[in-house]
Amino acid sequence: MGGLSAQQSSSSCALVHQKLASFPYPRPLIIEDRVTLDEAKAALARGRHVVLVTPPAPEQAGELWVLLAPSPPDAESGAAARAAPAALIICSDDVSAAEWVAAAPDSVRVHAVTGLARTARLLKAGSISLLAGAVKDLAALVARSALKLGAVSTVVLAWPEQFAAGEHEAALDTLLGETREAHRIVLSWNPAALGDFLERHARRALVVGTAPVDDTGRPLPPIAPARYAIVAPSRRAAALRDALDALDPKRPFVWEGGPLDAPAETPDTVLCLRLPTRQQFATLARLGEPVAFVTAAQLPYLRSLAAPLTLLRLPGETDRARDRGEALRAQVAAVLEAGTIDAELALLDPLFDHFDPAEVAAALLALRRETTTEKRETGPPEPAAGWVKVFVNVGRKDRAAAKDLVGALIREVGLGKGDIGRIDLRDSFTLVEVADRAADRVVRGLTGVTIKGRRAVARLDNTGGNRKP
């Protein structure tokens, strides 16, 4: 915590810090019917899937390491174990994947996919036993034939509430389909919201932990009000300093996870550097209104605990800049108050690990300004000199539509709409007309991309009549 320990604080601002509990946990995890971790591990060995109820934070999933404790490899499986990771942790993004490296106990080595080239090299060398990665990154490694899913014995789905639906759904279905024989451990803070997903991918799973529902199966109500700030895990210490500057408390209580011991005196501010369980949040709320530092992906979980939930504005670059664009700020405020930006926050969440959220917002405004200026100065795009047909091995039988091809060309290849021509969708393939100058980029960029659950292969069409003015 740097300069924020209790000994270094002044007497007028004595910080009380609670440290993380040591690993492993000394007690069995108890749920309905008093199921222990040993019993859950035995169920996995028998081929039954397990759902572990836990807040969406790797540091709160310590029981996972007990379930992942390796068994001695036999002679037949030894070669396969060297050729691929024994276990896979599927996450929402690369920032979440990197958190698993820090959360793992000393005896466990986790490699997070933060660079495809390096990960592919380590996989080829057989140096990875536990791999954590975002859906899109793992799918890309499979497309490169760097990741062999056949030898993976355990798949951990780290809070699929964050990524089971949406743009990565098809890629996730493909990954799970190719690891059908692997044991499944699903980490979830709200299993009731994953009914259809669990039915398809972890049927009849043993639920370990207490789901946030009452005796009738209805979701439990929020416990108490709280404030929050969206902060990347690597910036929590800096955010804590900013919060202390903004709130100027006399008796702050800083909780960093682990057991909650009653402070010597009643705090006037409660700051949570870790994501609490429901029980921990209730205890913290009795001390005072908690201030939680969370990632964008964790915000829906925090909403289930706290109401009303109020944004804590931390001092940053925006406080040192001249106010401008009152009308734009009013529009942004209206969107924020409507509370409909969860998907956008999750999309931008990886950037918060490297940049201040205010800087991310400023960059988006800069892009908006550049796009507006470019349209005004250049006018409509000039027509392409010629068109080229590209063959793609995805068609109607794959449940693909023209919009799926257009979306892949724009998102994955970075093509502008003006460079996309006619799309001729057939039963087993599609012919896509693209601008002559972009043809090679389309072939390279589209190959390996997952479209409607199928890895695409693109090449220039060789049926003749390809180039035309």
Side-chain angles (χ1 to χ4, degrees):
M1 292 302 304
L4 295 172
S5 67
Q7 293 178 346
Q8 293 170 320
S9 301
S10 64
S11 59
S12 62
C13 187
L15 294 179
V16 182
H17 288 263
Q18 296 291 326
K19 298 299 181 184
L20 285 169
S22 59
F23 179 88
Y25 292 86
R27 60 176 177 79
L29 184 67
I30 306 285
I31 63 158
E32 60 272 7
D33 299 330
R34 302 184 66 82
V35 175
T36 66
L37 285 176
D38 286 339
E39 290 168 337
K41 193 172 181 180
L44 280 173
R46 295 193 301 269
R48 188 174 181 183
H49 305 309
V50 169
V51 174
L52 187 60
V53 181
T54 175
E59 66 267 14
Q60 287 281 25
E63 291 86 356
L64 173 66
W65 309 116
V66 178
L67 298 180
L68 284 179
S71 303
D74 54 39
E76 293 183 2
S77 64
R82 289 191 296 270
L88 208 60
I89 302 178
I90 303 178
C91 312
S92 59
D93 52 57
D94 56 351
V95 174
S96 301
E99 289 186 69
W100 285 102
V101 178
D106 294 338
S107 59
V108 178
R109 293 186 61 185
V110 179
H111 176 80
V113 184
T114 54
L116 295 180
R118 178 169 178 263
T119 301
R121 176 176 59 80
L122 293 174
L123 285 170
K124 184 177 181 181
S127 304
I128 299 175
S129 59
L130 181 52
L131 182 66
V135 175
K136 61 180 179 61
D137 292 333
L138 296 175
L141 289 169
V142 172
R144 295 182 178 196
S145 298
L147 176 59
K148 308 294 185 182
L149 296 176
V152 175
S153 60
T154 304
V155 173
V156 178
L157 290 147
W159 302 285
E161 294 97 331
Q162 301 170 354
F163 58 85
E167 60 178 320
H168 301 309
E169 182 178 3
L172 178 61
D173 286 346
T174 300
L175 290 175
L176 296 178
E178 296 187 23
T179 55
R180 189 173 289 105
E181 302 303 318
H183 301 307
R184 300 248 169 96
I185 302 175
V186 181
L187 304 180
S188 171
W189 64 268
N190 184 18
L194 295 174
D196 179 63
F197 179 84
L198 294 177
E199 180 67 21
R200 288 187 291 120
H201 297 299
R203 194 168 183 269
R204 296 186 65 253
L206 177 67
V207 178
V208 182
T210 304
V213 295
D214 60 19
D215 293 339
T216 67
R218 295 178 179 177
L220 293 174
I223 298 170
R227 287 175 288 180
Y228 75 97
I230 295 178
V231 177
S234 61
R235 296 191 65 256
R236 283 174 182 160
L240 175 60
R241 292 192 292 268
D242 289 341
L244 291 171
D245 289 341
L247 300 172
D248 192 23
K250 299 299 184 294
R251 299 179 306 280
F253 180 86
V254 180
W255 182 69
E256 295 184 83
L260 276 161
D261 300 325
E265 55 182 346
T266 303
D268 57 354
T269 301
V270 177
L271 302 114
C272 306
L273 291 186
R274 301 291 182 181
L275 195 66
T277 64
R278 189 173 183 87
Q279 183 177 1
Q280 288 168 337
F281 181 83
T283 302
L284 290 164
R286 286 194 290 270
L287 298 175
E289 183 179 345
V291 176
F293 300 92
V294 298
T295 65
Q298 293 168 341
L299 192 55
Y301 168 76
L302 186 61
R303 286 199 180 107
S304 73
L305 302 180
L309 189 60
T310 308
L311 176 66
L312 174 65
R313 185 174 178 274
L314 299 178
E317 291 300 321
T318 52
D319 296 305
R320 293 180 284 272
R322 184 184 299 273
D323 285 344
R324 58 184 179 179
E326 188 61 35
L328 178 60
R329 287 196 296 272
Q331 292 174 358
V332 172
V335 174
L336 292 173
E337 290 171 358
T340 57
I341 58 171
D342 288 347
E344 289 77 8
L345 283 173
L347 178 66
L348 296 174
D349 196 33
L351 293 175
F352 298 152
D353 190 47
H354 306 289
F355 303 98
D356 188 287
E359 294 173 323
V360 175
L364 291 173
L365 284 176
L367 287 174
R368 178 178 179 271
R369 184 174 61 249
E370 289 174 4
T371 302
T372 303
T373 303
E374 182 180 352
K375 287 181 178 179
R376 184 170 58 248
E377 292 178 353
T378 62
E382 295 181 2
W387 296 92
V388 175
K389 288 184 180 180
V390 175
F391 172 94
V392 185
N393 67 330
V394 178
R396 292 194 187 95
K397 290 182 178 179
D398 303 299
R399 296 177 290 111
K403 64 180 182 180
D404 299 314
L405 277 299
V406 173
L409 289 168
I410 293 174
R411 289 193 309 270
E412 307 294 341
V413 184
L415 221 58
K417 290 185 178 180
D419 289 334
I420 303 174
R422 184 171 178 268
I423 295 179
D424 185 8
L425 197 68
R426 311 284 182 89
D427 285 341
S428 58
F429 66 92
T430 301
L431 295 177
V432 181
E433 286 186 352
V434 298
D436 190 341
R437 59 178 176 268
D440 292 338
R441 182 155 60 101
V442 169
V443 170
R444 291 194 306 269
L446 209 55
T447 298
V449 172
T450 301
I451 302 176
K452 303 301 286 186
R454 183 174 184 181
R455 289 197 297 275
V457 175
R459 58 173 171 78
L460 292 178
D461 181 43
N462 56 12
T463 58
N466 208 336
R467 296 179 182 270
K468 60 182 180 181

